[in-house]
Amino acid sequence: MARQTRVVLNCVGPYRFFGEPVVQACVENGASCIDISGEPQFLEGMYLKYNEKAAEKGVYVVGSCGFDSIPADMGVLYTRDKLKGTLTAVESFLSVKSGPEGLGVHDGTWKSAVYGLADEDNLKKLRKQIGYAPVPVVGAKLKKRGFVFYSPEFKEYCITFMGSDGSVVKRTQRYLHSELQQTPVQYGAYVTLGGLGSVIKLMFMGMLFLLLVKFNFGRKLLTKYPRFFSGGYFSKEGPTQKQMDGTSFTMTFFGEGYSEGQDPQTGKPNVKICTEVKGPEPGYIATPIAMVQAALSLLEDAASLPKKGGVYSPGAAFSKTKLIDRLNKRGVEFSVISKPEV
């Protein structure tokens, strides 16, 4: 398959079990490869094993090109490009709204989360092995928020986003800083939850999840009964058409930085900007849109890709392409909410 094509769309999650043979076949046979993984261990493991081979072959392996993590990664770059000055820090807040039928997610995503959390220690070892260079902090240091906090902007409780967005954005910023000498942007990812009731429900489910995920029998229970342990969100059937039609997402970015002529190394940030990325149901409508447009960018914007092949995050691969324009035309829309005020 890989020998006969230029780009393969790799949809075989959980990627930790099925992803690598596809990447290997693509790299060995000279095809580029795009996936929609939200599993940092798989994404960074592929970087460790195949980055040099992909560079030799001149092919691009671009991970996390679905809802994880194109809105976040490209959203940070969009925010940076719209700020007149130097962007140094961004926080994103994801809100998913559903209709009367509620939300539904397939249990493949649930399994990825179960095995990903169970194997967290190996992710730390992998990162040691890769030996990432630290990303320097430019400008005022972005304050880390508590795991749960109240947001006056949204009038809702929020939690830290547990997905791969944070690690993907960091890889992009590291690449842009080390390879293209661009100012790295600090990033924090959060999700809006709603009222106190939602927080209590999530805390209870989360504690049970974290307890069970540590043991083999617990993981078996979690993967066998996803609907029960996720409070009805995850199921083996996935969402109904009505659920998908009634669901949408908004990711809001609050950026701060320094106006043109201001040195980011001195003083406090003096410009702010607010942008958003919004789109249809994330998992099954926005994800394929993002994935297919990323593939088209790979084929049609070839002159704007990094000069050599390799294993890349979306922002590293597509920062100079027309990907954001393509997404805007397809219903995943990037816009500025409020222009920077000094």
Side-chain angles (χ1 to χ4, degrees), residues 149-206:
F149 58 94
Y150 184 77
S151 160
E153 290 92 353
F154 293 96
K155 297 184 175 54
E156 285 186 46
Y157 284 92
C158 303
I159 59 163
T160 301
F161 180 62
M162 300 294 284
S164 57
D165 285 356
S167 63
V168 172
V169 169
K170 194 163 191 180
R171 283 172 54 216
T172 292
Q173 294 303 321
R174 183 183 287 111
Y175 170 82
L176 295 176
H177 173 68
S178 62
E179 297 296 319
L180 304 178
Q181 287 69 57
Q182 295 178 0
T183 304
V185 178
Q186 304 166 69
Y187 176 65
Y190 305 99
V191 188
T192 64
L193 268 191
L196 206 51
S198 306
V199 175
I200 292 163
K201 183 180 169 186
L202 186 91
M203 286 304 212
F204 177 72
M205 278 165 28

Side-chain angles (χ1 to χ4, degrees), residues 248-249 277-281 285-286 289-290 293 324-334:
S248 62
F249 80 89
V277 179
K278 61 175 202 268
E281 190 280 331
I285 304 178
I289 292 170
Q293 296 313 312
I324 289 175
D325 297 342
R326 293 175 190 280
L327 293 168
N328 271 328
K329 287 178 192 152
R330 302 296 186 300
V332 176
E333 295 165 6
F334 293 66

Side-chain angles (χ1 to χ4, degrees), residues 4 12 28 133 157 164 254 295 313:
Q4 293 173 51
V12 301
E28 286 173 1
Y157 284 92
S164 57
F254 296 101
S313 56

Side-chain angles (χ1 to χ4, degrees), residues 257-280:
Y258 296 77
S259 56
E260 286 163 343
Q262 250 324 89
D263 179 7
Q265 303 291 11
T266 58
K268 287 184 174 164
N270 66 342
V271 280
K272 286 186 172 176
I273 185 170
C274 175
T275 63
E276 75 173 19
V277 179
K278 61 175 202 268

Side-chain angles (χ1 to χ4, degrees), residues 54-74:
E56 280 165 27
K57 287 277 192 176
V59 297
Y60 297 86
V61 176
V62 191
S64 51
C65 285
F67 178 69
D68 289 8
S69 293
I70 278 190
D73 206 11
M74 299 307 291

